[in-house]
RNA sequence: CACCCCGUAGCUCAACUGGCUAGAGUAGCGGUCUUUUAAACCGCGGGUUAUGGGUUCGAGUCCCAUCGGGGUAACCA
């Protein structure tokens, strides 16, 4: 069933056709202007700058003129009518221009009416630039329409009988204009001017209809005090119809632009170092490289099971074996786990491996990188998140895992055996089961007692060997590996190792994992013979790092839900309303 | 899977303790008018209250089930 408004749109579509206009033309529409090329804000800026140049009324007077005009929304008539104001700032005096400024001698009072056009620069006046641009109607006040393109909005003015509608016979303008609806796409040609109220506006000389919208966009309105009306906020609708969300909520688009920027900053930085962006398999016969439950699928021709990757680590290391000294990949990972505000079944990780480096070098690299990202994405190295100020300028605090537990629980677990660790867990009411080994128990204590305290960027280093089968044994501390995780606001953001490149040690670690699997750990790692073969040929000492791009984006855009930084977060299937069967006559 | 909250017009929201024909604004339609601006003014349409049952003289409101969303918890990054 179509709603009343949908029927109106379809009738309008037909009406446009009846007027001889194709509502979905095939040919391109050439554009030479973006709505952000010149804005009302630019007008204000130019105005202030130019008035500063005016001599004779002095700086105080100039400031007053600007203030007055702004307060009157650039209604110059108001200024001229206010005699008291005119006198107070000396508006009747002749203006003496700076030597560099080419203007006729005049009084400010005579000059002010020309200001609005003047401040448009190349865009102003009858000989101003002819603008070609396209977008969709977001507000419609009959002769004033707001047009939105990919960058922003600009107001257009359709003055009766002063513009041509492509393909339309003369005299039918009014009929046509009635068929314009919110969301319709228009191609426009015109010149810029400034209205009495100080709005930068394009006076249209030529209009071409580009596409019809058959559904009603939920237009969000804002008054001059910034109050928002009819905000499109229902999360379900926003995520399911992201195209609508992006159209009517500019702040949403902003998040995704920042996400792209963040990834590009990383990409550029890595490329500058000569590291190589690569792609590795998403469908894997063995789901290695991390501890998580996979999605399983099946290949028909090969008649074999395949898994969606839970990590790409083992493939990237194979490439280091192959002789590249730096490889990185931005890739989707798939984990068959729960969903909440920080977890989506598919998520994006950036993994990088650099030969001849260690995890200490990697900490320094990450500090440099994150500081750069914060600066370029948010404009500052301090970023507000969840009401806190996160400082991304390095160096970051470093603590070993044992030190951090000692700090927040006053218990030294470094020398404890499995039984003693279980005792500590019991003391803190942490649930444990038999499948948990020493490493997992320590991780539980850490997760329960330490994590939440790590607000500012903090490296936790040197993890127990049992929970990290792919990292190299610590150079000095027995029973630990060279690993760090970066925590920000109590959440893990990055994970890195000095990579294990001793194939015999690696085989042993995999076997320990099999042991854990036997005890019931369904996330223990699987042994990958081909990966071991690669290590046996020889892998150089290497440091590797993984960063959760979604979570980092959340940090940089102050979002509390992962769904806000994914274009299309995973959702349950939308219930399809069964169409009523047509009654046969 | 467990617990809590929510689902009313295209959109944002009302509707008291279960009680009159489920109301506003916006969007839409018909006018007037416009260098206007969440334009304004006059008039008019628009609803199986998520879906299916039940209790009741009477259900948007109470009960049960289902679907969808949000939150907490668990898992995980």
């Amino acid at each position: 069933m179509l709603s009343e408004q949908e029927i109106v749109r379809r009738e309008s579509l037909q009406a446009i056709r009846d007027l001889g206009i194709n509502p979905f033309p095939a040919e391109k529409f050439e554009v030479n202007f973006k709505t952000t090329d010149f804005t009302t804000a630019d007008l204000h800026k130019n105005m202030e700058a130019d008035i500063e140049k005016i001599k004779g009324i002095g700086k105080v007077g100039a400031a007053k003129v600007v203030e007055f005009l702004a307060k009157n929304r650039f209604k110059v008539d108001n200024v001229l009518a206010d005699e008291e104001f005119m006198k107070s700032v000396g508006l009747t005096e002749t203006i003496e221009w700076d030597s560099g400024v080419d203007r006729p001698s005049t009084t400010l009072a005579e000059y002010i009416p020309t200001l609005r056009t003047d401040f448009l620069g190349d865009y102003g006046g009858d000989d101003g630039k002819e603008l070609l641009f396209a977008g969709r109607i977001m507000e419609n006040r009959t002769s004033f329409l707001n047009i939105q393109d990919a960058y922003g909005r600009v107001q257009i003015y359709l003055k009766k009988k002063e513009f041509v509608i492509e393909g339309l016979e003369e005299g039918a303008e009014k009929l046509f204009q009635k068929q314009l609806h919110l969301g319709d796409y228009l191609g426009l040609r015109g010149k810029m001017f400034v209205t009495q109220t100080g709005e930068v506006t394009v006076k249209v000389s030529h209009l071409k209809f580009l596409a019809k919208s058959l559904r009603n966009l939920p237009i969000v309105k804002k008054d001059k005090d910034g109050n928002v009306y009819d905000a499109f906020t229902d999360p379900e609708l926003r995520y399911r119809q992201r195209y609508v969300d992006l159209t009517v909520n500019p702040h949403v688009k902003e998040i995704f632009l920042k996400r792209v920027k963040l990834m590009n900053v990383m990409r550029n930085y890595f490329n500058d170092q000569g590291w190589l962006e690569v792609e590795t398999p998403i469908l894997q016969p063995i789901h290695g490289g991390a501890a998580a439950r996979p999605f399983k699928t099946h290949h028909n021709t090969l008649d074999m099971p395949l898994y969606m990757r839970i990590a790409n680590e083992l493939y990237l290391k194979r490439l280091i074996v192959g002789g590249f000294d730096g490889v990185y990949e931005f890739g989707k990972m798939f984990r068959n786990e729960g969903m909440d505000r920080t977890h989506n079944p598919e998520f994006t990780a950036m993994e990088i491996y650099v030969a001849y480096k260690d995890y200490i070098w990697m900490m320094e690299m990450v500090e440099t990188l994150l500081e750069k990202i914060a600066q370029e994405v948010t404009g500052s190295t301090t970023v507000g998140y969840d009401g806190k100020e996160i400082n991304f300028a390095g160096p970051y605090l470093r603590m070993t895992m044992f030190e951090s537990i000692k700090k927040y629980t006053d218990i030294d677990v470094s020398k404890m055996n499995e039984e003693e660790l279980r005792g500590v867990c019991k003391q803190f009411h942490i649930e444990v089961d038999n499948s948990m080994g020493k490493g997992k128990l320590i991780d539980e204590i850490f997760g329960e007692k330490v994590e939440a305290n790590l607000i500012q960027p903090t490296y936790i280093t040197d993890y127990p060997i049992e929970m990290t089968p792919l990292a190299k044994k610590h150079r000095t501390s027995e029973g630990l590996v060279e690993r760090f995780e970066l925590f920000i606001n109590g959440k893990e953001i990055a994970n890195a190792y000095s990579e294990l490149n001793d194939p015999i040690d690696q085989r042993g670690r995999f076997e320990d994992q099999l042991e854990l699997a036997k005890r019931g750990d369904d996330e223990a790692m699987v042994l990958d013979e081909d990966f071991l073969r690669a290590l046996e040929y020889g892998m150089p000492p290497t440091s590797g790092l993984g960063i959760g791009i979604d979570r980092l984006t959340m940090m940089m855009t102050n979002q509390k839900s992962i769904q806000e930084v994914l274009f299309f977060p995973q959702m349950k299937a939308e219930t399809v309303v069964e169409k009523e069967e047509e009654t046969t006559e």
Side-chain angles (χ1 to χ4, degrees):
Chain A
M1 266 292 279
L2 294 175
S3 73
E4 183 201 14
Q5 299 199 34
E6 287 172 318
I7 293 166
V8 167
R9 296 289 178 110
R10 278 168 163 76
E11 285 169 357
S12 166
L13 180 70
Q14 189 55 47
I16 290 168
R17 289 204 166 102
D18 291 345
L19 287 166
I21 289 174
N22 179 359
F24 297 104
E27 63 278 9
K28 68 174 179 183
F29 185 86
E30 206 69 59
V31 163
N32 69 5
F33 175 75
K34 298 171 190 160
T35 57
T36 45
D37 286 350
F38 195 96
T39 66
T40 303
D42 294 328
L43 180 77
H44 285 233
K45 221 181 296 160
N46 288 354
M47 185 159 208
E48 286 175 33
D50 210 358
I51 287 185
E52 281 304 317
K53 292 179 194 158
I54 300 168
K55 287 186 172 180
I57 58 173
K59 282 222 167 187
V60 176
K64 276 188 182 166
V65 171
V66 172
E67 198 183 314
F68 194 96
L69 283 171
K71 202 161 40 182
N72 285 272
R73 313 198 73 199
F74 289 83
K75 278 193 174 152
V76 291
D77 292 347
N78 290 8
V79 181
L80 301 176
D82 194 329
E83 284 178 34
E84 202 177 315
F85 177 78
M86 297 271 282
K87 218 173 281 175
S88 75
V89 292
L91 282 173
T92 48
E93 291 168 28
T94 303
I95 304 168
E96 303 212 6
W97 300 98
D98 279 339
S99 51
V101 184
D102 179 26
R103 297 211 196 271
S105 208
T106 175
T107 65
L108 189 57
E110 286 165 341
Y111 177 55
I112 277 187
T114 71
L115 284 179
R116 296 196 317 248
T117 301
D118 241 17
F119 294 144
L120 289 172
D122 293 345
Y123 291 103
D126 290 338
D127 53 354
K129 278 185 188 165
E130 178 131 278
L131 310 177
L132 282 163
F133 64 105
R136 61 200 313 189
I137 303 171
M138 298 303 278
E139 275 183 71
N140 187 351
R141 292 187 291 277
T142 318
S143 42
F144 287 95
L145 293 84
N146 268 18
I147 302 296
Q148 174 170 292
D149 66 6
Y151 309 93
R153 291 186 189 184
V154 70
Q155 176 168 278
I156 63 166
Y157 181 43
L158 300 178
K159 192 167 171 66
K160 268 181 205 163
K161 293 173 186 166
E162 292 194 18
F163 66 102
V164 178
I165 296 160
E166 188 169 312
L168 191 75
E169 282 181 33
E170 228 175 300
E173 291 85 358
K174 198 173 177 185
L175 280 174
F176 172 81
Q177 239 171 298
K178 286 176 98 126
Q179 305 310 329
L180 294 181
H181 285 107
L182 295 179
D184 287 354
Y185 290 86
L186 301 178
L188 301 155
R189 188 196 304 167
K191 287 184 181 177
M192 202 175 263
F193 74 106
V194 182
T195 65
Q196 285 291 344
T197 51
E199 181 82 22
V200 170
T201 303
V202 177
K203 186 171 174 185
V204 172
S205 60
H206 192 99
L207 181 154
K208 181 177 184 183
F209 197 83
L210 294 183
K212 187 70 195 166
S213 165
L214 291 182
R215 281 177 186 260
N216 213 4
L217 282 172
I219 296 294
V220 180
K221 296 205 165 194
K222 211 186 263 184
D223 68 18
K224 55 174 171 277
D225 299 326
N227 300 315
V228 177
Y229 299 82
D230 302 333
F232 183 65
T233 52
D234 181 345
E236 179 173 6
L237 284 174
R238 286 184 47 233
Y239 302 151
R240 287 197 195 281
Q241 304 184 30
R242 186 66 97 178
Y243 36 87
V244 174
D245 191 27
L246 289 164
T247 304
V248 304
N249 288 329
H251 55 279
V252 172
K253 190 186 261 179
E254 204 57 39
I255 292 168
F256 291 100
L257 292 177
K258 284 184 174 170
R259 181 181 171 119
V260 172
K261 190 163 191 181
L262 181 155
M263 291 172 72
N264 283 339
V265 170
M266 292 178 105
R267 220 171 234 132
N268 291 338
Y269 181 76
F270 296 156
N271 289 346
D272 286 348
Q273 316 296 316
W275 300 328
L276 198 69
E277 180 163 16
V278 298
E279 292 179 283
T280 62
I282 288 170
L283 289 174
Q284 303 178 348
I286 297 167
H287 54 281
R293 287 189 292 268
F295 288 94
K296 190 176 181 181
T297 183
H298 182 263
H299 189 276
N300 289 341
T301 305
L302 296 174
D303 190 25
M304 65 185 280
L306 286 171
Y307 300 91
M308 309 281 279
R309 68 176 173 201
I310 56 173
N312 53 0
E313 172 156 356
L314 301 187
Y315 283 93
L316 290 170
K317 285 186 193 169
R318 283 173 171 98
L319 293 178
I320 294 293
V321 171
F324 298 109
D325 63 2
V327 290
Y328 69 95
E329 178 174 17
F330 287 92
K332 280 278 180 76
M333 306 300 153
F334 306 84
R335 297 190 183 174
N336 210 340
E337 312 270 5
M339 294 165 58
D340 61 25
R341 47 159 49 173
T342 54
H343 296 87
N344 194 64
E346 56 182 286
F347 65 99
T348 303
M350 193 295 302
E351 294 255 341
I352 182 164
Y353 291 81
V354 183
Y356 310 113
K357 307 294 186 194
D358 62 11
Y359 77 138
I360 297 184
W361 172 87
M362 188 65 88
M363 283 190 246
E364 285 157 14
M365 197 276 269
V366 170
E367 282 162 359
T368 310
L369 184 62
L370 288 187
E371 184 171 340
K372 204 186 233 332
I373 289 170
Q375 183 66 48
E376 294 198 26
V377 173
T378 73
S380 166
T381 55
T382 7
V383 176
Y385 186 77
D386 201 11
K388 298 156 196 143
E389 288 288 313
I390 309 288
N391 183 8
F392 281 95
Y396 303 154
L397 187 63
R398 297 179 191 186
M399 263 189 280
T400 70
M401 178 165 256
F402 290 148
E403 281 167 3
S404 73
I405 292 174
K406 181 96 188 349
K407 176 169 178 186
Y408 290 102
T409 66
D410 226 23
I411 294 174
D412 184 1
V413 295
S414 63
K415 304 280 190 303
M416 288 188 180
N417 61 29
E418 195 172 314
E419 270 322 299
E420 290 169 309
L421 287 168
R422 282 179 193 280
V424 174
C425 286
K426 202 167 182 186
Q427 181 189 333
F428 290 132
H429 308 289
I430 298 167
E431 274 187 46
V432 292
D433 61 58
N434 268 339
S435 75
M436 291 180 179
K438 202 172 147 188
K440 189 109 179 173
L441 291 169
I442 292 170
D443 194 37
E444 291 291 324
I445 296 166
F446 176 80
E448 184 70 27
K449 289 289 160 192
V450 181
E451 251 184 54
N453 297 304
L454 308 176
I455 302 303
Q456 293 303 322
T458 304
Y459 289 124
I460 298 297
T461 66
D462 303 345
Y463 284 59
I465 192 164
E466 293 85 355
M467 53 193 289
T468 315
L470 300 171
K472 191 178 277 195
K473 278 180 182 149
H474 196 275
R475 60 193 74 182
T476 54
S477 304
E478 188 67 30
L480 300 181
V481 291
E482 297 206 346
R483 172 186 185 180
F484 73 79
E485 289 190 305
L486 175 62
F487 286 86
I488 305 173
N489 197 42
K491 288 275 175 196
E492 183 198 333
I493 291 291
N495 182 19
Y497 314 145
S498 296
E499 300 295 340
L500 177 53
N501 61 343
D502 174 345
I504 296 176
D505 188 358
Q506 182 67 79
R507 183 176 292 277
R509 303 273 199 97
F510 274 138
E511 279 161 2
D512 291 345
Q513 288 290 306
L514 291 178
E515 216 38 57
L516 285 177
K518 272 186 207 156
R519 284 171 67 170
D521 186 344
D522 59 353
E523 288 175 344
M525 275 191 209
V526 182
L527 190 145
D528 184 334
E529 273 299 341
D530 177 68
F531 174 64
L532 287 171
R533 179 166 57 193
L535 290 193
E536 284 165 10
Y537 278 103
M539 183 171 94
T542 298
S543 185
L545 163 82
I547 293 186
I549 295 296
D550 312 294
R551 289 189 177 177
L552 188 58
T553 305
M554 287 165 67
M555 287 278 155
M556 295 295 170
T557 58
N558 196 16
Q559 293 302 315
K560 272 139 221 84
S561 157
I562 196 169
Q563 296 170 311
E564 294 293 343
V565 302
L566 300 171
F567 273 131
F568 304 106
Q570 193 62 51
M571 305 203 68
K572 283 196 190 177
E574 196 172 0
T575 39
V576 183
V577 182
E578 275 185 49
K579 277 190 181 173
E580 285 177 44
E581 279 186 45
E582 306 229 334
T583 35
T584 42
E585 321 219 347

